[in-house]
Amino acid sequence: MGPISDIDRQLFARVAASRLRGAHPLLPRLSRAADHGKLWFGTAAVLGIAGGRTARRAALRGVGSLAAASLASNMVVKWTVERRRPVLDAVPLVRRLRRQPWTSSFPSGHSASAAAFATGVAIESSRYGTLVAPLAAAVAASRVYVGVHYPSDVVAGIALGAGAAALTCRWWPPRPEVPAQARPRVSAPALPKGEGLVVVVNHGAGNAAPAGGFTDAEQLQLLLPAAEIVDCGPDDDFMALLGQAARRATERAGALGICGGDGSVNAAAALAAERGLPLAVFPGGTLDHFALDIGVPNFEDTAHAVAEGDAVAVDLARATPLAGGAEGAEGDGTSHFVNTFSLGFYPELVRIRESLQDRLGKWPAAAVALGRVLRTATPMEIEVNGHPRRLWVLFVGNGGYSPEGFAPAYRQQLDDGLLDVRAIDGDQPLARTRLLFSALTGTLGRSRVYTTRRMRQLRLTGLHALDTRAYDGEVAAEPAEALLIDKRPGALTVYRPAQPQNELLQRARTAAAKAKWWRAVLRK
C-alpha cells in the first residue's frame, strides 16, 4: 500500500493546488446534491416523467443498482477497510464542504452511487446512459476536488458501483435495445395520418391514468388524426367492438389497431390474421411483452410505422383441440397466442389475482396469489408428446425466449417457427423450494427441476382434470382433453419502424404537439 498511498497523496495535492476554471462553485454543489442519492432519485424521476417506457426501465434499474452499491459501500466495505480522510490544509476554504464526513474514506460512497446509477441506466439504454454519464463523472471528481477522498477511493467506488449494476443482470436480464428479428413485410399499406386505420382502445387493459393530461384515445388522435378511434369501456363488449373495427378496416383497405395489454393484442392478432389485415399495436397494458419484443415500446413508434408502411411478418402460435386425442384430427375452438401458453398453477395464480386486484391493486394481488398458489397447489399429471409427466407448470412460448437457463424475459426472433417449452418437474423432491432458491441465486439454468426444449409442435393429452389454460396472461376455460400446439409461420403482419426510433426526439415532438393542441383549445 506504500507506493499507492504516495501516489494518492501526490495526486490529491495536485488537485488541491489546481485552479480549474468553471469548476467552482459547480463541483461543490454537485457533491452536496448527491448526498443520500438525492441527485440520482431526482434524475430517475425526470427520466420517468419526461421519457418513455425505455427511460422508466432505465431509471428503475439505475435506482436498484444505486441501492445495491450504497448498501455494499456504506454497510460493508467502509466498516471493513478503515482509512482516514485526507488532510484538508491544502484545499482552499471556498471548496470545502460545510459538514465534513466522518466515516472511512475508502471507498467513496458518492462515487459508488454515481457509477451504479449511470451504469444501470446505460445497461438498459446506451442513449440515456450517455446523458447521465458526464453527471456521474462530475460527482465522482468532485469528491477529490472538495477534499474528502483520495483518488483511489473514487476509483474503488466507481468499480464497486459498476459491479453492483452489472450484478443486477443476474436476476433481472436487460432487454436488448434492438427489437426481435422478423421478416420484412412490404405489403402493409402506408397510412399517412392514420387514414384507413381503425383502433380499438381497451380501457380495462391496465393504463387507466391519462399521460400528461391526455387519455390513450386522445394521444392516438393527436398522433394519427385521420384514424378512427373506438373507445371500449368496462361495460362494453370488447370482442364485438373488435369485430366491427376489423370489418370497417377491411372495407377501407386499411389496418386494424389495438391499444391494450397482451390479452387485447391476442384477440386482435387472431382476428387480423384471419382477415389478412395488418395489425398496429399500441402498448396500453401493464407489461406489453409483445409490443416490446416487436419493437414498438411507445405510441410514437407504431404511429411512425403506420404512416410509413413499415411492417414485419411474425409467427402466430395456436392450440388446437384434438378429437379424442387423435393426432391431426382438429376440432373446433382453436385458440391463438402471440406470447405464451401455460398449464399448471399459473392459470390459478391469474384467477386469484383477478379476484383480488380490485381491492388490493394488481401487484399486491399478484404477490398474495403467488403465496397462496405455492402453498396449496399440487402437480398435474398429463402426457407430453405421448410421455407421462408430473409437472407443476408447463410453459410454451411463441418463439425462443432469452436468456437461456433463466425465467423467460424476451425474444430475439419472432419468425423462427419454434416453440419454447419449459417445465417445472413435479417428481423432484422439494421442487417448489428448490425452484425458488435457484431463482433467488440466479442458478435456475442448472436446476434439475427446470427443463427447457425447443420444438416445432407439442401434443398434450390427458387434460381432463385441467379445465383452465392461460393464453398471453389471460385465463380461458376449455374442456378439451387433448391439444396440438404449433405455429402459423409468418401469419401475422405487424407494423413496426424499419429502424428503432429515438425515444427522446419522439417525446419532444409529442410534447410539442400537445402544447400546440392546448394553445388551440385556449384560443377558443
Side-chain angles (χ1 to χ4, degrees), residues 403-478:
E404 294 287 347
F406 201 86
Y410 57 85
R411 286 164 288 184
Q412 295 180 313
Q413 191 171 352
L414 293 169
D415 61 348
D416 58 7
L418 298 175
L419 300 170
D420 187 335
V421 182
R422 306 190 183 198
I424 301 175
D425 195 343
D427 285 327
Q428 296 286 339
L430 300 174
R432 286 176 292 184
T433 303
R434 292 166 63 183
L435 180 72
L436 183 61
F437 177 80
S438 299
L440 292 175
T441 56
T443 58
L444 196 59
R446 296 193 295 274
S447 174
R448 292 186 178 181
V449 304
Y450 184 73
T451 58
T452 65
R453 296 287 187 276
R454 300 280 174 89
M455 55 187 66
R456 295 197 175 274
Q457 68 175 32
L458 183 70
R459 186 160 53 90
L460 305 176
T461 54
L463 306 179
H464 52 274
L466 303 170
D467 58 354
T468 58
R469 297 93 201 257
Y471 296 91
D472 293 327
E474 300 289 335
V475 175
E478 293 181 347

Coordinates of all heavy atoms in Angstrom, one line a residue, residues 403-478:
P403 N -33.1 -14.9 -21.5 CA -31.9 -15.7 -21.7 C -32.1 -17.2 -21.4 O -33.0 -17.5 -20.7 CB -30.9 -15.0 -20.6 CG -31.8 -14.6 -19.6 CD -33.1 -14.1 -20.2
E404 N -31.2 -18.0 -21.9 CA -31.2 -19.4 -21.7 C -31.0 -19.7 -20.2 O -30.2 -19.0 -19.5 CB -30.2 -20.1 -22.5 CG -30.4 -20.0 -24.0 CD -31.5 -20.9 -24.5 OE1 -32.0 -21.8 -23.7 OE2 -32.0 -20.7 -25.6
G405 N -31.7 -20.7 -19.7 CA -31.5 -21.1 -18.3 C -31.9 -20.0 -17.3 O -31.4 -19.9 -16.2
F406 N -33.0 -19.2 -17.7 CA -33.5 -18.2 -16.8 C -35.0 -18.2 -17.0 O -35.5 -18.8 -17.9 CB -32.9 -16.9 -17.1 CG -32.9 -15.9 -16.0 CD1 -31.9 -15.9 -15.0 CD2 -34.0 -15.0 -15.9 CE1 -32.0 -15.0 -14.0 CE2 -34.0 -14.1 -14.9 CZ -33.0 -14.1 -13.9
A407 N -35.7 -17.4 -16.2 CA -37.1 -17.2 -16.4 C -37.2 -16.5 -17.8 O -36.5 -15.5 -18.0 CB -37.7 -16.3 -15.3
P408 N -38.2 -16.9 -18.6 CA -38.3 -16.2 -19.9 C -38.5 -14.7 -19.8 O -39.4 -14.3 -19.1 CB -39.5 -17.0 -20.6 CG -40.2 -17.6 -19.4 CD -39.2 -17.9 -18.4
A409 N -37.7 -13.9 -20.5 CA -37.8 -12.5 -20.4 C -38.1 -11.8 -21.7 O -39.0 -10.9 -21.7 CB -36.5 -11.9 -19.8
Y410 N -37.5 -12.2 -22.8 CA -37.7 -11.5 -24.1 C -37.3 -12.5 -25.2 O -36.7 -13.5 -25.0 CB -36.9 -10.2 -24.2 CG -35.4 -10.5 -24.0 CD1 -34.6 -10.8 -25.1 CD2 -34.8 -10.3 -22.8 CE1 -33.2 -11.1 -24.9 CE2 -33.5 -10.6 -22.6 CZ -32.7 -10.9 -23.7 OH -31.3 -11.2 -23.5
R411 N -37.7 -12.1 -26.4 CA -37.4 -12.9 -27.6 C -36.5 -12.1 -28.5 O -36.6 -10.9 -28.7 CB -38.7 -13.3 -28.4 CG -39.5 -14.4 -27.7 CD -40.9 -14.5 -28.2 NE -41.7 -13.3 -27.8 CZ -43.0 -13.2 -28.1 NH1 -43.6 -14.1 -28.8 NH2 -43.6 -12.1 -27.7
Q412 N -35.6 -12.8 -29.2 CA -34.7 -12.2 -30.1 C -35.1 -12.5 -31.6 O -34.5 -11.9 -32.5 CB -33.2 -12.7 -29.9 CG -32.7 -12.2 -28.6 CD -31.3 -12.7 -28.3 OE1 -30.9 -13.9 -28.6 NE2 -30.4 -11.8 -27.9
Q413 N -36.1 -13.3 -31.8 CA -36.6 -13.6 -33.1 C -38.0 -14.0 -33.0 O -38.4 -14.8 -32.1 CB -35.8 -14.8 -33.7 CG -36.0 -15.0 -35.2 CD -35.1 -16.0 -35.9 OE1 -34.1 -16.4 -35.2 NE2 -35.3 -16.3 -37.1
L414 N -38.9 -13.5 -33.9 CA -40.3 -13.7 -33.9 C -40.8 -14.6 -35.1 O -42.0 -14.7 -35.3 CB -41.1 -12.4 -33.9 CG -40.9 -11.6 -32.6 CD1 -41.4 -10.2 -32.7 CD2 -41.5 -12.3 -31.4
D415 N -39.9 -15.1 -35.9 CA -40.2 -15.9 -37.0 C -39.4 -17.1 -37.2 O -39.1 -17.6 -38.3 CB -40.1 -15.1 -38.3 CG -38.7 -14.6 -38.6 OD1 -37.9 -14.7 -37.7 OD2 -38.5 -14.1 -39.7
D416 N -39.0 -17.7 -36.0 CA -38.1 -18.9 -36.0 C -38.9 -20.2 -36.2 O -38.3 -21.3 -36.4 CB -37.3 -19.0 -34.8 CG -38.1 -19.0 -33.5 OD1 -39.4 -19.1 -33.6 OD2 -37.5 -18.9 -32.4
G417 N -40.2 -20.2 -36.2 CA -41.0 -21.4 -36.4 C -40.9 -22.4 -35.2 O -41.4 -23.5 -35.3
L418 N -40.4 -22.0 -34.1 CA -40.2 -22.9 -32.9 C -41.0 -22.5 -31.7 O -41.4 -21.3 -31.6 CB -38.7 -22.9 -32.5 CG -37.7 -23.4 -33.6 CD1 -36.3 -23.2 -33.0 CD2 -38.0 -24.8 -33.9
L419 N -41.3 -23.5 -30.9 CA -42.0 -23.3 -29.6 C -40.9 -23.4 -28.6 O -40.1 -24.3 -28.6 CB -43.1 -24.3 -29.4 CG -44.2 -24.4 -30.4 CD1 -45.1 -25.6 -30.2 CD2 -45.1 -23.1 -30.3
D420 N -41.0 -22.6 -27.6 CA -40.0 -22.6 -26.4 C -40.8 -23.3 -25.3 O -41.7 -22.7 -24.7 CB -39.6 -21.2 -26.0 CG -38.5 -21.2 -24.9 OD1 -38.5 -22.2 -24.2 OD2 -37.8 -20.2 -24.9
V421 N -40.5 -24.5 -25.0 CA -41.2 -25.3 -24.0 C -40.4 -25.4 -22.7 O -39.2 -25.9 -22.8 CB -41.5 -26.7 -24.5 CG1 -42.3 -27.5 -23.5 CG2 -42.3 -26.6 -25.9
R422 N -41.0 -25.0 -21.6 CA -40.3 -25.1 -20.3 C -41.2 -25.7 -19.3 O -42.4 -25.4 -19.3 CB -39.8 -23.7 -19.9 CG -39.0 -23.0 -20.9 CD -38.3 -21.7 -20.4 NE -37.6 -21.0 -21.5 CZ -36.7 -20.1 -21.3 NH1 -36.3 -19.7 -20.1 NH2 -36.1 -19.5 -22.4
A423 N -40.6 -26.5 -18.4 CA -41.5 -27.2 -17.4 C -40.8 -27.2 -16.1 O -39.5 -27.2 -16.0 CB -41.7 -28.6 -17.9
I424 N -41.6 -27.3 -15.0 CA -41.1 -27.5 -13.7 C -41.5 -28.9 -13.2 O -42.8 -29.2 -13.2 CB -41.7 -26.4 -12.7 CG1 -41.3 -25.0 -13.2 CG2 -41.2 -26.7 -11.3 CD1 -41.9 -23.9 -12.4
D425 N -40.6 -29.7 -13.0 CA -40.8 -31.1 -12.7 C -41.5 -31.3 -11.3 O -40.9 -30.9 -10.3 CB -39.5 -31.9 -12.8 CG -39.7 -33.4 -12.9 OD1 -40.8 -33.9 -12.6 OD2 -38.7 -34.1 -13.3
G426 N -42.6 -32.1 -11.3 CA -43.3 -32.3 -10.0 C -42.8 -33.6 -9.3 O -43.2 -33.8 -8.2
D427 N -41.9 -34.4 -10.0 CA -41.4 -35.6 -9.3 C -40.2 -35.3 -8.5 O -39.9 -36.2 -7.6 CB -41.1 -36.6 -10.4 CG -42.3 -37.3 -11.0 OD1 -43.3 -37.4 -10.3 OD2 -42.3 -37.6 -12.2
Q428 N -39.6 -34.2 -8.6 CA -38.4 -33.9 -7.8 C -38.8 -33.5 -6.4 O -39.8 -32.8 -6.2 CB -37.6 -32.7 -8.4 CG -37.0 -33.0 -9.8 CD -35.8 -33.9 -9.8 OE1 -35.2 -34.1 -8.7 NE2 -35.5 -34.6 -10.9
P429 N -38.1 -34.0 -5.4 CA -38.4 -33.6 -4.0 C -38.2 -32.2 -3.8 O -37.2 -31.6 -4.3 CB -37.5 -34.5 -3.2 CG -36.3 -34.9 -4.1 CD -37.0 -34.9 -5.5
L430 N -39.1 -31.5 -3.0 CA -39.0 -30.1 -2.6 C -38.8 -29.2 -3.9 O -38.0 -28.3 -3.9 CB -37.8 -29.9 -1.7 CG -37.8 -30.6 -0.3 CD1 -36.5 -30.4 0.4 CD2 -39.0 -30.2 0.5
A431 N -39.6 -29.6 -4.9 CA -39.4 -28.9 -6.2 C -39.7 -27.4 -6.1 O -38.9 -26.6 -6.6 CB -40.4 -29.5 -7.2
R432 N -40.7 -27.0 -5.4 CA -41.0 -25.5 -5.3 C -39.9 -24.8 -4.5 O -39.5 -23.7 -4.9 CB -42.4 -25.3 -4.6 CG -43.6 -25.7 -5.4 CD -44.9 -25.6 -4.7 NE -45.0 -26.6 -3.7 CZ -46.1 -26.8 -2.9 NH1 -47.1 -26.1 -3.0 NH2 -46.1 -27.8 -2.0
T433 N -39.5 -25.4 -3.4 CA -38.4 -24.7 -2.6 C -37.1 -24.6 -3.4 O -36.5 -23.6 -3.4 CB -38.2 -25.5 -1.3 OG1 -39.4 -25.7 -0.6 CG2 -37.1 -24.9 -0.5
R434 N -36.8 -25.7 -4.1 CA -35.5 -25.7 -4.9 C -35.7 -24.7 -6.1 O -34.7 -24.0 -6.4 CB -35.3 -27.1 -5.5 CG -34.9 -28.0 -4.4 CD -34.9 -29.5 -4.8 NE -34.0 -29.8 -5.9 CZ -33.9 -31.0 -6.5 NH1 -34.7 -31.9 -6.1 NH2 -33.1 -31.1 -7.5
L435 N -36.9 -24.6 -6.7 CA -37.1 -23.6 -7.8 C -36.9 -22.2 -7.2 O -36.2 -21.4 -7.9 CB -38.4 -23.8 -8.4 CG -38.8 -22.9 -9.5 CD1 -38.0 -23.2 -10.7 CD2 -40.3 -22.9 -9.8
L436 N -37.5 -21.9 -6.1 CA -37.4 -20.5 -5.5 C -36.0 -20.2 -5.2 O -35.5 -19.1 -5.5 CB -38.3 -20.4 -4.3 CG -38.4 -19.1 -3.6 CD1 -38.9 -18.0 -4.6 CD2 -39.2 -19.1 -2.4
F437 N -35.2 -21.2 -4.6 CA -33.8 -20.9 -4.3 C -33.0 -20.7 -5.5 O -32.2 -19.8 -5.5 CB -33.3 -22.1 -3.5 CG -31.8 -22.0 -3.1 CD1 -31.4 -21.3 -2.1 CD2 -30.9 -22.7 -3.9 CE1 -30.1 -21.1 -1.8 CE2 -29.5 -22.6 -3.6 CZ -29.1 -21.8 -2.5
S438 N -33.2 -21.4 -6.6 CA -32.5 -21.3 -7.8 C -32.8 -19.9 -8.4 O -31.9 -19.3 -9.0 CB -32.9 -22.4 -8.8 OG -32.5 -23.7 -8.3
A439 N -34.0 -19.5 -8.4 CA -34.4 -18.2 -8.9 C -33.7 -17.0 -8.2 O -33.2 -16.1 -8.7 CB -35.9 -18.0 -8.9
L440 N -33.7 -17.2 -6.8 CA -33.1 -16.1 -6.0 C -31.6 -16.0 -6.1 O -31.0 -15.0 -6.0 CB -33.4 -16.3 -4.5 CG -34.9 -16.1 -4.2 CD1 -35.2 -16.5 -2.7 CD2 -35.3 -14.7 -4.4
T441 N -30.9 -17.2 -6.4 CA -29.5 -17.2 -6.5 C -29.0 -17.1 -8.0 O -27.8 -17.1 -8.2 CB -28.9 -18.5 -5.9 OG1 -29.6 -19.7 -6.5 CG2 -29.2 -18.6 -4.4
G442 N -29.9 -17.0 -8.9 CA -29.6 -16.9 -10.3 C -29.0 -18.1 -10.9 O -28.2 -18.1 -11.9
T443 N -29.4 -19.3 -10.4 CA -28.8 -20.6 -10.9 C -29.9 -21.5 -11.5 O -29.8 -22.7 -11.5 CB -28.1 -21.3 -9.7 OG1 -29.1 -21.6 -8.7 CG2 -26.9 -20.5 -9.2
L444 N -31.0 -20.8 -12.0 CA -32.1 -21.6 -12.5 C -31.7 -22.5 -13.6 O -32.2 -23.6 -13.8 CB -33.2 -20.6 -13.0 CG -34.6 -21.2 -13.2 CD1 -35.1 -21.8 -11.9 CD2 -35.5 -20.1 -13.7
G445 N -30.8 -22.1 -14.5 CA -30.3 -22.9 -15.6 C -29.7 -24.2 -15.2 O -29.7 -25.2 -16.0
R446 N -29.2 -24.3 -14.0 CA -28.6 -25.6 -13.5 C -29.5 -26.4 -12.6 O -29.1 -27.4 -12.1 CB -27.3 -25.2 -12.8 CG -26.2 -24.6 -13.7 CD -24.9 -24.6 -13.1 NE -24.8 -23.7 -11.9 CZ -24.6 -22.4 -11.9 NH1 -24.4 -21.8 -13.1 NH2 -24.6 -21.7 -10.8
S447 N -30.7 -25.9 -12.4 CA -31.6 -26.6 -11.5 C -32.2 -27.9 -12.2 O -32.6 -27.8 -13.4 CB -32.8 -25.7 -11.1 OG -33.7 -26.4 -10.3
R448 N -32.3 -29.0 -11.5 CA -32.9 -30.2 -12.1 C -34.4 -30.2 -12.2 O -35.0 -31.0 -12.9 CB -32.4 -31.4 -11.3 CG -30.9 -31.7 -11.4 CD -30.6 -33.0 -10.6 NE -29.1 -33.3 -10.8 CZ -28.6 -34.4 -10.2 NH1 -29.3 -35.2 -9.6 NH2 -27.3 -34.6 -10.4
V449 N -35.0 -29.3 -11.5 CA -36.5 -29.2 -11.5 C -37.0 -28.4 -12.7 O -38.2 -28.3 -13.0 CB -37.0 -28.6 -10.2 CG1 -36.6 -29.4 -9.0 CG2 -36.7 -27.2 -10.1
Y450 N -36.0 -27.7 -13.4 CA -36.4 -26.8 -14.5 C -35.8 -27.3 -15.8 O -34.6 -27.4 -16.0 CB -35.9 -25.4 -14.2 CG -36.3 -24.3 -15.1 CD1 -37.5 -23.8 -15.1 CD2 -35.3 -23.8 -16.0 CE1 -37.9 -22.8 -16.0 CE2 -35.7 -22.7 -16.8 CZ -36.9 -22.2 -16.8 OH -37.3 -21.2 -17.7
T451 N -36.7 -27.6 -16.8 CA -36.2 -28.2 -18.1 C -36.7 -27.3 -19.2 O -37.8 -26.7 -19.1 CB -36.7 -29.6 -18.3 OG1 -38.1 -29.6 -18.3 CG2 -36.1 -30.5 -17.3
T452 N -35.9 -27.2 -20.3 CA -36.3 -26.4 -21.4 C -36.0 -27.2 -22.7 O -35.1 -28.0 -22.8 CB -35.5 -25.1 -21.5 OG1 -34.1 -25.4 -21.7 CG2 -35.6 -24.3 -20.2
R453 N -36.9 -27.0 -23.7 CA -36.7 -27.6 -25.0 C -37.2 -26.6 -26.1 O -38.1 -25.8 -25.8 CB -37.5 -28.9 -25.1 CG -37.1 -30.0 -24.2 CD -35.8 -30.7 -24.6 NE -35.5 -31.8 -23.8 CZ -34.9 -31.7 -22.6 NH1 -34.5 -30.6 -22.1 NH2 -34.6 -32.9 -21.9
R454 N -36.7 -26.8 -27.3 CA -37.2 -26.0 -28.5 C -37.8 -27.1 -29.5 O -37.1 -28.0 -29.8 CB -36.1 -25.2 -29.1 CG -35.5 -24.2 -28.2 CD -36.3 -22.9 -28.1 NE -35.8 -22.0 -27.1 CZ -34.9 -21.1 -27.4 NH1 -34.4 -20.9 -28.6 NH2 -34.5 -20.2 -26.4
M455 N -39.0 -26.9 -29.9 CA -39.6 -27.9 -30.8 C -40.6 -27.2 -31.7 O -41.0 -26.0 -31.5 CB -40.2 -29.0 -30.1 CG -41.2 -28.6 -29.0 SD -41.8 -30.0 -28.0 CE -40.3 -30.4 -27.1
R456 N -41.0 -27.8 -32.8 CA -42.0 -27.2 -33.8 C -43.4 -27.5 -33.4 O -44.3 -26.7 -33.8 CB -41.7 -27.7 -35.2 CG -40.3 -27.3 -35.7 CD -40.1 -27.4 -37.2 NE -38.8 -26.9 -37.6 CZ -38.6 -25.6 -37.8 NH1 -39.6 -24.7 -37.7 NH2 -37.4 -25.2 -38.2
Q457 N -43.7 -28.6 -32.7 CA -45.1 -28.8 -32.3 C -45.1 -29.6 -31.0 O -44.1 -30.3 -30.7 CB -45.9 -29.5 -33.3 CG -45.5 -30.9 -33.7 CD -46.5 -31.5 -34.6 OE1 -47.1 -30.9 -35.5 NE2 -46.7 -32.8 -34.5
L458 N -46.2 -29.5 -30.3 CA -46.3 -30.2 -29.0 C -47.7 -30.7 -28.8 O -48.7 -30.0 -29.1 CB -46.0 -29.1 -27.9 CG -46.0 -29.6 -26.4 CD1 -44.8 -30.5 -26.2 CD2 -46.1 -28.4 -25.5
R459 N -47.8 -32.0 -28.5 CA -49.1 -32.7 -28.3 C -49.3 -33.0 -26.8 O -48.5 -33.6 -26.2 CB -49.1 -34.0 -29.1 CG -50.5 -34.6 -29.1 CD -50.6 -35.6 -30.3 NE -49.6 -36.5 -30.3 CZ -49.6 -37.7 -29.7 NH1 -50.6 -38.1 -29.0 NH2 -48.5 -38.5 -29.8
L460 N -50.4 -32.5 -26.3 CA -50.7 -32.6 -24.9 C -52.0 -33.4 -24.8 O -53.0 -33.1 -25.4 CB -50.9 -31.3 -24.2 CG -49.7 -30.3 -24.3 CD1 -50.1 -28.9 -23.7 CD2 -48.5 -30.8 -23.7
T461 N -52.0 -34.5 -24.0 CA -53.2 -35.3 -23.8 C -53.3 -35.6 -22.3 O -52.5 -35.3 -21.5 CB -53.0 -36.7 -24.5 OG1 -51.8 -37.3 -24.1 CG2 -53.0 -36.5 -26.0
G462 N -54.5 -36.1 -22.0 CA -54.8 -36.4 -20.6 C -55.1 -35.1 -19.8 O -54.8 -35.0 -18.6
L463 N -55.8 -34.1 -20.4 CA -56.0 -32.8 -19.8 C -57.4 -32.8 -19.2 O -57.9 -31.7 -18.9 CB -55.9 -31.7 -20.9 CG -54.6 -31.6 -21.6 CD1 -54.7 -30.5 -22.6 CD2 -53.4 -31.5 -20.7
H464 N -58.1 -33.9 -19.0 CA -59.4 -33.9 -18.5 C -59.6 -33.3 -17.1 O -60.7 -32.7 -16.8 CB -60.0 -35.4 -18.4 CG -59.1 -36.3 -17.6 ND1 -58.0 -36.9 -18.2 CD2 -59.1 -36.7 -16.3 CE1 -57.4 -37.7 -17.3 NE2 -58.0 -37.5 -16.2
A465 N -58.5 -33.3 -16.3 CA -58.6 -32.7 -15.0 C -58.2 -31.2 -15.0 O -58.3 -30.5 -14.0 CB -57.7 -33.4 -14.0
L466 N -57.9 -30.7 -16.2 CA -57.4 -29.3 -16.3 C -58.4 -28.5 -17.2 O -58.3 -28.7 -18.4 CB -56.0 -29.2 -16.8 CG -54.9 -30.0 -16.0 CD1 -53.6 -30.0 -16.8 CD2 -54.7 -29.4 -14.7
D467 N -59.3 -27.8 -16.6 CA -60.2 -27.1 -17.4 C -59.9 -25.6 -17.7 O -60.7 -24.9 -18.3 CB -61.6 -27.2 -16.8 CG -61.7 -26.6 -15.4 OD1 -60.6 -26.2 -14.9 OD2 -62.8 -26.5 -14.8
T468 N -58.8 -25.2 -17.2 CA -58.3 -23.8 -17.4 C -56.9 -23.7 -18.0 O -56.1 -24.5 -17.6 CB -58.4 -22.9 -16.1 OG1 -57.6 -23.5 -15.1 CG2 -59.8 -22.8 -15.6
R469 N -56.7 -22.8 -18.9 CA -55.4 -22.6 -19.5 C -55.2 -21.1 -19.6 O -56.1 -20.3 -19.5 CB -55.3 -23.2 -20.9 CG -55.5 -24.7 -21.0 CD -56.9 -25.1 -21.2 NE -57.2 -26.5 -20.8 CZ -57.4 -27.5 -21.6 NH1 -57.2 -27.3 -22.9 NH2 -57.7 -28.6 -21.1
A470 N -53.9 -20.7 -19.7 CA -53.6 -19.3 -19.8 C -53.0 -19.0 -21.2 O -52.0 -19.6 -21.6 CB -52.7 -18.8 -18.7
Y471 N -53.6 -18.0 -21.9 CA -53.1 -17.6 -23.2 C -52.7 -16.1 -23.0 O -53.6 -15.3 -22.7 CB -54.2 -17.7 -24.3 CG -54.6 -19.1 -24.6 CD1 -55.7 -19.7 -23.9 CD2 -53.9 -19.9 -25.5 CE1 -56.1 -21.0 -24.2 CE2 -54.3 -21.2 -25.8 CZ -55.4 -21.7 -25.2 OH -55.7 -23.0 -25.4
D472 N -51.4 -15.8 -23.2 CA -51.0 -14.4 -23.1 C -51.4 -13.7 -21.8 O -51.9 -12.6 -21.8 CB -51.4 -13.6 -24.3 CG -50.8 -14.1 -25.6 OD1 -49.6 -14.5 -25.5 OD2 -51.4 -14.0 -26.6
G473 N -51.4 -14.5 -20.7 CA -51.7 -13.9 -19.4 C -53.2 -13.9 -19.1 O -53.5 -13.4 -18.0
E474 N -54.0 -14.4 -20.0 CA -55.5 -14.4 -19.7 C -55.9 -15.8 -19.6 O -55.6 -16.7 -20.4 CB -56.2 -13.7 -20.9 CG -55.8 -12.3 -21.1 CD -56.3 -11.3 -20.0 OE1 -57.3 -11.7 -19.4 OE2 -55.7 -10.3 -19.8
V475 N -56.7 -16.1 -18.5 CA -57.2 -17.4 -18.3 C -58.4 -17.7 -19.1 O -59.3 -16.9 -19.3 CB -57.6 -17.6 -16.8 CG1 -58.2 -19.0 -16.5 CG2 -56.3 -17.4 -15.9
A476 N -58.4 -18.9 -19.7 CA -59.6 -19.4 -20.6 C -60.0 -20.7 -20.1 O -59.2 -21.6 -19.7 CB -59.2 -19.4 -22.0
A477 N -61.3 -20.9 -20.0 CA -61.9 -22.2 -19.6 C -62.1 -23.1 -20.8 O -62.8 -22.7 -21.7 CB -63.2 -22.0 -18.8
E478 N -61.5 -24.2 -20.9 CA -61.6 -25.1 -22.0 C -61.7 -26.6 -21.6 O -61.0 -27.0 -20.7 CB -60.4 -25.0 -22.9 CG -60.2 -23.6 -23.6 CD -59.0 -23.6 -24.5 OE1 -58.2 -24.5 -24.4 OE2 -58.9 -22.6 -25.3

